[in-house]
Amino acid sequence: TRVGAVDSTAYIQNLINTQGVADLPEGTYYISSPLVIGITQGLIGRGTAKTIIVGMTDTFPLLSYEATGSTETVFFGAHFSLAGGSRGIRMHCTNPANYMSVSRNVFKYINFINQSVSSIHLDQFYGFDNNFFEYINFVNTPKGIHQEVNPAYVSGETPSMMFMDKNVFTNCQWINNDVCLDLDSKRASGGNMWLNCRFDNNRIIAKMPNQIDP
């Protein structure tokens, strides 16, 4: 159904640029390139069955959350579905020399469906700390949440070593995925909780090196 669809990329990007946290009306929106979302910006839809963003191909991340990493980084997202694309959400630091900490984010009522690589990609930054996920569904993806460390990492404290502390996932579902949680980290990660979550028909639930008592 996405072949020949109307491209809504510019429309949604303008909402983000002008509103910060964009109020996206009910509808199915097809996009041809990533929607770039900066610090304190985000998307709020009208419901997972009412506001749907579809990648016109599966070669790019649908939402690209980006920051310079010079301050604590807060993004927003709720009440929509993301279908297709290579990744549903990619988070990364645009200045690789800075220690970006993504903290105090609340993501709720989001469906991730049929991404070709991963649903949420935490891409080679410093820390993912004190975030809350509620009613998030991951369906039919190679990786539900992928936390990726810089492959050139050797030792010590670096801006792209990745760790994950005190994150709570409640009432979330992982269904028909290859790997639900692929969470690499070179600094110890601790205090992460999966509360009342469902894991059904997945090949691997969790790969968690350096996790303390998840």
Side-chain angles (χ1 to χ4, degrees):
T1 58
R2 58 188 178 177
V3 175
V6 175
D7 189 347
S8 297
T9 309
Y11 166 71
I12 302 175
Q13 189 65 61
N14 182 65
L15 288 181
I16 296 167
N17 294 346
T18 56
Q19 296 180 6
V21 180
D23 180 9
L24 190 58
E26 182 175 341
T28 299
Y29 302 91
Y30 297 87
I31 61 173
S32 60
S33 59
L35 298 170
V36 178
I37 298 174
I39 190 168
T40 69
Q41 294 183 331
L43 280 176
I44 308 294
R46 301 296 171 85
T48 55
K50 294 182 177 182
T51 303
I52 303 167
I53 298 173
V54 182
M56 297 178 81
T57 69
D58 295 333
T59 58
F60 61 92
L62 302 183
L63 306 184
S64 182
Y65 286 85
E66 303 178 359
T68 63
S70 58
T71 60
E72 187 176 76
T73 302
V74 180
F75 303 119
F76 299 95
H79 303 292
F80 55 81
S81 291
L82 298 173
S86 62
R87 298 159 179 83
I89 289 175
R90 177 192 181 215
M91 294 185 185
H92 69 110
C93 183
T94 57
N95 186 339
N98 286 341
Y99 287 72
M100 184 171 89
S101 179
V102 177
S103 302
R104 299 184 296 112
N105 292 263
V106 176
F107 288 91
K108 58 185 180 179
Y109 296 99
I110 302 174
N111 289 339
F112 294 91
I113 306 165
N114 294 335
Q115 279 75 51
S116 65
V117 178
S118 60
S119 293
I120 296 177
H121 184 199
L122 309 178
D123 190 7
Q124 301 182 45
F125 54 91
Y126 182 58
F128 195 69
D129 195 2
N130 280 287
N131 300 292
F132 187 77
F133 292 79
E134 181 179 26
Y135 292 99
I136 310 293
N137 299 313
F138 303 86
V139 182
N140 292 331
T141 63
K143 295 182 179 182
I145 302 177
H146 179 205
Q147 179 175 262
E148 183 177 2
V149 174
N150 186 338
Y153 176 85
V154 177
S155 64
E157 197 89 355
T158 73
S160 53
M161 64 187 293
M162 292 298 319
F163 69 88
M164 206 175 164
D165 280 354
K166 302 177 291 297
N167 298 282
V168 175
F169 299 81
T170 180
N171 295 298
C172 299
Q173 298 186 96
W174 284 260
I175 300 172
N176 298 338
N177 303 286
D178 187 47
V179 181
C180 300
L181 305 166
D182 188 357
L183 307 178
D184 195 8
S185 62
K186 299 304 180 186
R187 204 207 76 177
S189 296
N192 298 298
M193 177 183 291
W194 287 263
L195 175 65
N196 197 36
C197 292
R198 178 187 179 194
F199 296 87
D200 188 22
N201 198 37
N202 306 287
R203 188 177 69 88
I204 296 174
I205 291 178
K207 297 163 69 175
M208 293 182 175
N210 290 325
Q211 285 274 343
I212 300 172
D213 296 330

